[in-house]
Amino acid sequence: MRIHRPLIAGNWKMHGLRGSAGELEKIIAGARKLPEVEMVICPPATLIMSFAATAFGSPITVGGQDCHAEAVGAFTGDISAEMLKDAGATAVIVGHSERRRYHGESDAVVQAKANAAFRAGLIAIVCVGETRAEREAGRALAVVGSQIEGSLPEGAGDFVVAYEPVWAIGTGLTPTPGDVAAMHHFIRERLESRYSESGQGVRILYGGSVKPTNARELLAVKNVDGALVGGASLVAEEFLKIASACR
Ligand code: 13P
């Protein structure tokens, strides 16, 4: 089993212009003081190349927010995992709930993207999570179980699972530490039964309204191996406070 450092990933979503490079520079400066934490920033695709150049040789790596399953082809507007790699990315988020919802991505599509990431030598950050209605109906474990089943890569490559309850994203709401513990334990069991020993080394991130104020409590939960941070990753100071809560 590979032992990894905790991973704090920043998903900038559709935020950021070239002028945001200053925030990245602040993140890089702070990350030098936190060698025990791995950090990746996933800016919009337009910034990947310049961010990767700025971050080169630093503790920060850069990731994409989505990729196409194919390496090349007639897919107007899409970007392949190989292209992200070529631009300097080391990771890519796949199956974010916003992609599943606004772009109709099924588990099968997400799995194909996760496989593409593996093919290109990128770490896939595969997102799963239930809606509020599904949680209220007592179906959270069942929903996440089937997303895990359908969207994780076929091989036991280098990938990360991000549990992001849809109702916690951008709302300021978070599950209780007990609910996070139950879900992450469940995901860990599924990973171990599917990938045997290497499933023990897969990092399971929590995402959804992670802030400096709640990071310590969430990151202390067993089987929480880091966080996928949205809004708070846009501000270097907040992102670094969350990363330092891993200690
Ligand atoms: P927030 O941290 O803004 O809730 O977003 C979480 C998320 O969707 C990260 O991928």
Side-chain angles (χ1 to χ4, degrees):
M1 181 187 55
R2 281 174 70 181
I3 305 292
H4 292 283
R5 291 176 293 165
L7 174 66
I8 304 293
N11 175 9
W12 280 23
K13 307 193 180 184
M14 201 170 73
H15 298 278
L17 300 170
R18 281 186 294 171
S20 315
E23 219 54 42
L24 176 69
E25 277 159 21
K26 284 191 227 163
I27 291 173
I28 290 171
R32 293 192 200 284
K33 295 175 202 146
L34 292 168
E36 64 277 34
V37 186
E38 190 177 330
M39 286 180 238
V40 56
I41 293 291
C42 304
T46 48
L47 295 177
I48 290 174
M49 241 165 88
S50 64
F51 275 30
T54 302
F56 186 77
S58 86
I60 294 289
T61 56
V62 176
Q65 298 176 10
D66 176 48
C67 66
H68 195 278
E70 300 294 329
V72 289
F75 302 107
T76 302
D78 280 316
I79 298 173
S80 70
E82 281 77 0
M83 290 168 178
L84 293 175
K85 176 91 177 170
D86 185 55
T90 59
V92 61
I93 298 168
V94 293
H96 191 281
S97 62
E98 288 149 18
R99 300 289 317 173
R100 291 177 185 262
R101 179 167 172 206
Y102 302 128
H103 298 267
E105 293 187 7
S106 63
D107 286 335
V109 166
V110 176
Q111 184 185 50
K113 293 180 175 201
N115 289 338
F118 179 61
R119 181 188 68 219
L122 297 176
I123 296 167
I125 302 174
V126 186
C127 302
V128 295
E130 82 287 355
T131 63
R132 176 190 295 278
E134 288 162 344
R135 174 156 288 267
E136 283 171 358
R139 296 182 50 235
L141 292 182
V143 167
V144 170
S146 83
Q147 289 175 335
I148 290 277
E149 185 72 30
S151 38
L152 290 188
E154 275 148 1
D158 202 359
F159 66 93
V160 172
V161 176
Y163 168 56
E164 297 206 305
V166 178
W167 52 272
I169 295 176
T171 58
L173 303 172
T174 51
T176 63
D179 284 342
V180 174
M183 183 61 82
H184 281 235
H185 173 74
F186 170 77
I187 294 171
R188 177 70 65 209
E189 279 187 342
R190 290 296 174 105
L191 289 170
E192 285 174 2
S193 78
R194 177 147 164 196
Y195 301 102
S196 48
E197 212 185 308
S198 54
Q200 293 168 11
V202 173
R203 285 174 291 187
I204 309 172
L205 312 185
Y206 168 78
S209 294
V210 178
K211 307 287 174 204
T213 45
N214 60 19
R216 195 167 297 280
E217 184 178 44
L218 290 164
L219 288 163
V221 173
K222 186 155 185 243
N223 285 311
V224 174
D225 308 306
L228 180 55
V229 185
S233 71
L234 294 166
V235 181
E237 196 187 334
E238 289 194 27
F239 185 68
L240 292 165
K241 274 190 191 153
I242 291 168
S244 64
C246 285
R247 285 196 282 206

